[in-house]
Amino acid sequence: MNKDILKIEQQFIYLLLKNEGLVDEWINSQLKIEHFSKEHKTILTAIQDCYDKNVLLTRKTFIAMLESIKLPKERVEQEMVFNRCLVSQANINDFPSLMSQIMEEYLLRSTTMSIKK
């Protein structure tokens, strides 16, 4: 996976962690969890679960959600992913651009995979 897209996804998630309105915009868009890299799917699912409860995802809530993961290595990896997203910086005005870049990267990946098959 392209490291640039991982940074873009981290910035996107950072904005979701800080703004409930952006979570609503994302959930009601065409951009879905399956469009993201594998390492970010757990945190995005947690963001969506919290949104359904009318709250934003916090580090404490995320750590509690990780208790269901049996392998300690996976829990630690997901904590590190969360921390990388939390320290990312992004401007709220970049949100539409980040969404677009993530969708474009997904389309490029899926087209490339289809051509390879």
Side-chain angles (χ1 to χ4, degrees):
M1 168 102 8
N2 182 347
K3 286 188 179 188
D4 289 336
I5 193 63
L6 291 177
K7 287 188 181 258
I8 290 168
E9 289 181 9
Q10 289 169 1
Q11 291 172 337
F12 182 83
I13 292 168
Y14 166 83
L15 290 173
L16 295 178
L17 292 171
K18 302 294 182 184
N19 189 307
E20 189 174 353
L22 295 181
V23 177
D24 182 60
E25 188 175 331
W26 164 58
I27 288 174
N28 292 310
S29 75
Q30 293 180 343
L31 188 63
K32 303 300 175 202
I33 292 175
E34 51 271 7
H35 297 143
F36 289 81
S37 63
K38 181 182 176 187
E39 76 178 61
H40 292 132
K41 290 182 179 182
T42 301
I43 190 170
L44 289 163
T45 301
I47 289 170
Q48 200 168 25
D49 288 346
C50 284
Y51 175 79
D52 292 342
K53 297 172 185 168
N54 295 318
V55 296
L56 288 173
L57 179 65
T58 64
R59 187 174 198 295
K60 184 175 184 172
T61 303
F62 187 67
I63 300 301
M65 289 177 169
L66 291 179
E67 293 300 317
S68 64
I69 297 177
K70 301 293 183 216
L71 298 174
K73 181 182 176 188
E74 285 183 41
R75 277 197 308 266
V76 170
E77 287 171 359
Q78 284 301 310
E79 283 184 51
M80 289 172 43
V81 168
F82 185 89
N83 291 337
R84 282 193 299 271
C85 292
L86 197 56
V87 299
S88 292
Q89 294 293 319
N91 187 305
I92 194 168
N93 296 312
D94 293 330
F95 189 75
S97 174
L98 294 171
M99 280 182 70
S100 177
Q101 290 174 317
I102 293 167
M103 182 59 88
E104 287 172 8
E105 178 64 25
Y106 166 74
L107 293 172
L108 180 63
R109 273 193 325 264
S110 59
T111 302
T112 303
M113 287 174 56
S114 294
I115 291 172
K116 284 181 180 179
K117 286 182 182 179

